[in-house]
Amino acid sequence: MAEKIKVLEVLNSVGLGGIECIVRDLCRNIDRSKIDFEIAIMDGKALDQYETFRSMGIPFHVYPRLTVKTAPAFMAWWKNFFRERKGYYRVVHIHTFTTAALYMKYAKQSGAYVIVHSHSVIPKNATIKKKGRLVRYMLRQKLQDDRYIDCRMACGQMAGHAIFKNKPFRVLNNGINTERYRFDPEMRRKMKEQFGWKEELIIGHVGNGTGTKNQEFLLKVFCEIHKKQPDSRLVLIGDLTRIESKLRDYAEQENLTQAVSFLGLRSDVPDLMTAMDMFVFPSFFEGLPVVLVEAQCEGLYCVVSDAVSEEARISDWCTFYPLSQTAEQWADLVLQAWEKHKTFDRSQAWKAVVQANYDIKSSAKTLQELYLTCKPKP
């Protein structure tokens, strides 16, 4: 039997975010008799899925937290790490594309095949200080250097061109477990009963309160929906710690307290999606969010910001709408879409996702082939 190859997946954390879940599912669906995985994460970051990865027999390495002051120690750690493992890893797959520039040289010098993976577009967040934007720009410029990268990879065309400019890259679809995200009418009944949700229009959203998902505008949209259809509810899933008090204050001000459910981070997102009727996603920017693939697999009609890559439309039940439109216009669109979609047979929706090659088994097969056949550039 051929010796198994070693692959290092570099992440910020093993929280419940989309990137972490994608890597988890890829590890689950790649032939472990041929490939051994290891994970590297940043110190002090989320560990929600730590035990999940450990249960798969995947060891962890914890690298230092990166700040302006700790940058020298951060780079020294990586230099020493790869020096000690020279010739050990066949592949180093970096999912932290901005900071990759700081250590991909050391990964390459260790003899590994280096993959830098873009999972997003370039943020246009005004809250990032000018100095921070300059640092990020300089780091991304280093990703144009061919000496230390064997393969540029992206979740979609927009995410690839945004980070890698005119350099060639491979697209790896954000595949999902389509069996887990199939509409289940019995589970829908159980979840609605568990939360006491009546026969009301349930608008769903999944996303952390990081400033990119635009939940404040979403709440304004729901306020307009609720005026037109009082038997409606907004279900928010994700870590909203940074903005939850502001959202709750607005809900109270508009008498929506009883109509908005803040569920926080959840491990039962597929079951909760089954209980939803519509999915609204007004992000300021995205690459190709896996949650939209999941929502479409569940047969949820998705109303999405046009700042999100059009590649996320993998079904007929997904509409992109400009953020320049008012909350009332968004509300009208959501209600119109619901009128057309409410008789749709959601039990067959998963087939569209499989046909579009967004099943995790397809993505895992593609990545496994690359891992097993790749050869580092000299």
Side-chain angles (χ1 to χ4, degrees):
M1 177 182 287
E3 184 178 354
K4 292 196 285 187
I5 68 167
K6 306 287 186 181
V7 175
L8 179 70
E9 304 285 342
V10 183
L11 298 161
N12 272 325
S13 76
V14 283
L16 292 169
I19 298 172
E20 300 95 307
C21 290
I22 291 166
V23 172
R24 176 203 65 201
D25 290 343
L26 286 168
C27 290
R28 280 176 172 166
N29 286 276
I30 282 176
D31 188 345
R32 300 294 301 285
S33 70
K34 298 178 180 178
I35 297 172
D36 270 340
F37 287 102
E38 295 183 10
I39 300 283
I41 59 171
M42 187 180 289
D43 187 29
K45 293 289 189 173
L47 296 171
D48 304 80
Q49 298 196 84
Y50 178 82
E51 291 302 329
T52 300
F53 280 100
R54 292 290 292 174
S55 68
M56 290 189 275
I58 298 176
F60 276 77
H61 306 281
V62 180
Y63 57 89
R65 201 173 183 97
L66 178 62
T67 66
V68 173
K69 291 183 178 180
T70 64
F74 176 89
M75 294 177 68
W77 187 94
W78 279 112
K79 184 176 183 179
N80 185 61
F81 178 83
F82 283 118
R83 183 170 55 199
E84 291 180 348
R85 291 162 178 78
K86 189 173 181 65
Y88 180 74
Y89 295 117
R90 164 77 70 84
V91 179
V92 174
H93 192 156
I94 305 172
H95 301 271
T96 56
F97 61 84
T98 298
T99 58
L102 296 174
Y103 52 85
M104 61 189 189
K105 173 182 178 179
Y106 306 131
K108 184 65 181 159
Q109 289 174 343
S110 76
Y113 183 89
V114 177
I115 302 172
V116 177
H117 198 145
S118 170
H119 291 274
S120 185
V121 297
I122 298 176
K124 297 179 180 178
N125 191 338
T127 63
I128 300 174
K129 293 181 181 179
K130 184 177 181 180
K131 186 176 181 180
R133 288 199 298 270
L134 178 60
V135 170
R136 292 187 181 199
Y137 172 78
M138 292 174 65
L139 289 174
R140 283 194 294 266
Q141 285 298 104
K142 290 183 176 294
L143 299 182
Q144 310 309 306
D145 191 335
D146 293 329
R147 290 176 297 171
Y148 308 124
I149 302 177
D150 292 287
C151 175
R152 294 174 178 86
M153 187 171 285
C155 62
Q157 293 294 327
M158 182 182 288
H161 289 300
I163 304 304
F164 302 129
K165 306 302 180 186
N166 296 319
K167 293 291 185 178
F169 58 87
R170 295 182 57 154
V171 171
L172 181 72
N173 288 343
N174 283 346
I176 66 166
N177 183 344
T178 55
E179 294 182 8
R180 185 72 181 93
Y181 284 89
R182 292 185 189 183
F183 177 71
D184 183 344
E186 179 57 24
M187 181 56 69
R188 176 180 172 86
R189 183 192 65 76
K190 288 180 180 178
M191 297 303 288
K192 296 185 79 167
E193 184 178 279
Q194 176 181 329
F195 287 95
W197 296 337
K198 303 174 184 178
E199 288 306 311
E200 53 194 343
L201 171 60
I202 298 180
I203 309 294
H205 176 85
V206 180
N208 294 334
T210 58
T212 65
K213 304 299 183 184
N214 205 9
Q215 286 97 344
E216 292 176 40
F217 179 68
L218 171 61
L219 193 52
K220 292 178 181 178
V221 172
F222 178 69
C223 182
E224 297 298 328
I225 290 173
H226 199 67
K227 289 176 185 176
K228 302 169 188 289
Q229 185 156 330
D231 56 337
S232 56
R233 171 175 300 279
L234 175 63
V235 175
L236 298 172
I237 300 171
D239 181 2
L240 300 177
T241 305
R242 300 182 189 179
I243 60 173
E244 186 168 337
S245 60
K246 189 174 183 178
L247 295 177
R248 287 186 180 275
D249 287 346
Y250 184 83
E252 183 176 359
Q253 173 189 319
E254 299 295 331
N255 297 314
L256 294 172
T257 303
Q258 300 303 314
V260 181
S261 298
F262 294 87
L263 301 189
L265 284 169
R266 306 283 302 199
S267 59
D268 56 351
V269 173
D271 301 334
L272 288 163
M273 279 188 169
T274 283
M276 298 172 185
D277 297 305
M278 296 283 291
F279 195 82
V280 182
F281 203 70
S283 292
F284 287 118
F285 64 88
E286 296 278 353
L288 202 155
V290 67
V291 70
L292 279 182
V293 181
E294 295 165 349
Q296 289 173 84
C297 192
E298 285 275 5
L300 286 169
Y301 199 102
C302 302
V303 179
V304 184
S305 156
D306 65 355
V308 178
S309 171
E310 279 274 353
E311 297 164 277
R313 188 206 308 271
I314 57 176
S315 71
D316 294 332
W317 43 95
C318 185
T319 294
F320 289 78
Y321 204 54
L323 285 175
S324 58
Q325 300 300 305
T326 66
E328 184 176 7
Q329 288 172 314
W330 269 72
D332 288 340
L333 179 64
V334 171
L335 291 172
Q336 290 166 13
W338 168 237
E339 281 302 313
K340 295 178 181 178
H341 193 68
K342 60 185 178 182
T343 58
F344 175 69
D345 181 7
R346 290 173 59 180
S347 66
Q348 302 301 308
W350 64 273
K351 294 180 180 179
V353 178
V354 173
Q355 289 170 359
N357 290 320
Y358 276 88
D359 185 272
I360 189 62
K361 293 177 182 176
S362 174
S363 299
K365 182 179 180 182
T366 298
L367 190 59
Q368 176 176 309
E369 183 177 355
L370 174 62
Y371 284 167
L372 293 174
T373 60
C374 67
K375 294 181 180 179
K377 292 182 294 190

